[in-house]
Amino acid sequence: MPSFKRTTRQNAAENDGCPQRLSRAERPVQTGGQPADAPAAPSASPAACASGAAAAQAVPVLHAPASVGFSNRRRTLAVCVGAAVLLVAVVAAGVLVGPDAMSTDFTQKNLAPSAAHPFGTDWMGRDMLLRTLAGLSTSVLVGLLAACVSAVVALALGCAAALGGRKVDAAVTWLIDLMMGIPHIVLLILVSYALGKGFWGVTVGIALTHWPNLARVVRAEVLQCRESTFFAVARRLGASRLSLAKNHLLPYVFPQFIVGLILLFPHAVLHEAAITFLGFGLPPEQPAIGIILSESMSYLSTGIWWLAVFPGLALIACVLLFDCIGTSLRKLIDPASAQE
């Protein structure tokens, strides 16, 4: 009596009722050792065969994406780039319209917002849209320069505190606590007034008062890198201090440093506008958001509300763009959220 070796494909073919071509190894073997053809399977319709083959080849889907489109990483990168492009466009537009923002036309003074003047005009007939763009450009440039200088100071002091020994660490920590114990606006006004106010007074004042928070972050990151395994291995292999700082410390601290630098911009812009509003910042003849808001206070009671509302909203939008760039960079760089 012949014995047959059963296979999975053979069983599937018989269950589906469809003829299926089997390989030589899957063909039934007689007791004599010679291969023989399998018994003819009952014929079935082509539609039944197609449905059976589709069911046999169907693979269960264990997980499917919730939505089809841009990934979170690409979306975050697009938001970051879009916000940066908007800021660059605002600065470029403010530089280009600088001369027109100072032109006066007393026949067009105190006009409400309209199609010709979207932000209205002031008591001297100056277009408030052009003045707002010029003021934002000045504020962003001051904030950019001050934030870069403040970030460099924070990086230097943070690295010195983490690598300079206990005495240097204690001195830098004491200086950080001292600076954080004094209100920003008070110290900023004192520094700006001592330097004669103006552009450089505001810039130096912001640069000297906004580094403590970033210095603490840099110090913590350098300490964490110094206690890591790869840093200890490189030091035991004989790497010099310059090589350790160049190949290990800086790449480790750089992502957090860049995020901290970006997040310094909105603080610098807001403080520049604040001390200029109080009269200790930029001169009145220079267009700036703080000057625009300060001059508009005396006209709010007369119903000319657009002199303060639109420049204030523009300043808030500019700060939110900076914050959006910093938050997006943090999501892209932080290992805990980079793959979300």
Side-chain angles (χ1 to χ4, degrees), residues 16-151:
D16 294 341
C18 301
Q20 186 170 359
R21 184 176 180 180
L22 304 178
S23 63
R24 182 179 297 273
E26 294 173 344
R27 294 178 183 173
V29 181
Q30 295 180 351
T31 54
Q34 299 295 330
D37 294 336
S43 60
S45 63
C49 292
S51 61
Q57 296 177 359
V59 178
V61 179
L62 300 179
H63 176 71
S67 60
V68 179
F70 286 110
S71 62
N72 290 338
R73 187 174 181 83
R74 291 183 178 179
R75 188 181 302 112
T76 304
L77 182 60
V79 171
C80 181
V81 173
V85 170
L86 285 177
L87 283 175
V88 172
V90 168
V91 174
V95 172
L96 292 176
V97 302
D100 296 333
M102 302 300 296
S103 61
T104 60
D105 185 3
F106 289 96
T107 62
Q108 303 288 328
K109 63 179 184 180
N110 295 332
L111 295 180
S114 61
H117 304 282
F119 285 9
T121 60
D122 61 1
W123 62 97
M124 297 180 66
R126 293 173 294 188
D127 188 273
M128 289 304 298
L129 176 59
L130 300 182
R131 289 199 72 198
T132 302
L133 290 175
L136 284 177
S137 176
T138 303
S139 299
V140 169
L141 291 177
V142 171
L144 179 64
L145 181 58
C148 290
V149 175
S150 183

Side-chain angles (χ1 to χ4, degrees), residues 253-305:
V253 177
F254 187 73
Q256 300 299 331
F257 172 74
I258 290 297
V259 174
L261 172 61
I262 296 297
L263 293 178
L264 276 179
F265 290 157
H267 292 279
V269 172
L270 286 177
H271 281 98
E272 181 275 327
I275 65 170
T276 302
F277 176 82
L278 295 175
F280 297 96
L282 299 176
E285 65 272 8
Q286 187 172 2
I289 292 295
I291 295 174
I292 295 174
L293 294 176
S294 177
E295 292 176 347
S296 65
M297 290 296 102
S298 58
Y299 292 89
L300 289 179
S301 59
T302 61
I304 310 178
W305 52 269

Side-chain angles (χ1 to χ4, degrees), residues 80-261:
C80 181
V81 173
V85 170
L86 285 177
L87 283 175
V88 172
V90 168
V91 174
V95 172
L96 292 176
V97 302
D100 296 333
M102 302 300 296
S103 61
T104 60
D105 185 3
F106 289 96
T107 62
Q108 303 288 328
K109 63 179 184 180
N110 295 332
L111 295 180
S114 61
H117 304 282
F119 285 9
T121 60
D122 61 1
W123 62 97
M124 297 180 66
R126 293 173 294 188
D127 188 273
M128 289 304 298
L129 176 59
L130 300 182
R131 289 199 72 198
T132 302
L133 290 175
L136 284 177
S137 176
T138 303
S139 299
V140 169
L141 291 177
V142 171
L144 179 64
L145 181 58
C148 290
V149 175
S150 183
V152 172
V153 173
L155 179 63
L157 291 179
C159 292
L163 302 175
R166 293 184 177 180
K167 293 183 178 180
V168 178
D169 187 16
V172 173
T173 304
W174 174 82
L175 185 60
I176 291 175
D177 294 337
L178 177 64
M179 295 293 294
M180 296 186 67
I182 304 175
H184 276 293
I185 192 67
V186 175
L187 186 59
L188 182 55
I189 289 175
L190 291 177
V191 174
S192 177
Y193 186 78
L195 295 177
K197 303 185 288 186
F199 179 86
W200 292 110
V202 175
T203 304
V204 174
I206 295 174
L208 293 179
T209 57
H210 283 71
W211 56 266
N213 289 325
L214 184 56
R216 295 181 64 181
V217 173
V218 171
R219 174 181 174 273
E221 292 293 328
V222 173
L223 288 175
Q224 186 176 2
C225 177
R226 193 180 65 176
E227 299 299 328
S228 61
T229 304
F230 65 88
F231 190 85
V233 170
R235 184 169 50 189
R236 288 182 178 273
L237 289 176
S240 62
R241 292 188 176 182
L242 181 61
S243 177
L244 290 173
K246 178 182 178 182
N247 299 325
H248 298 287
L249 286 179
L250 290 181
Y252 191 88
V253 177
F254 187 73
Q256 300 299 331
F257 172 74
I258 290 297
V259 174
L261 172 61

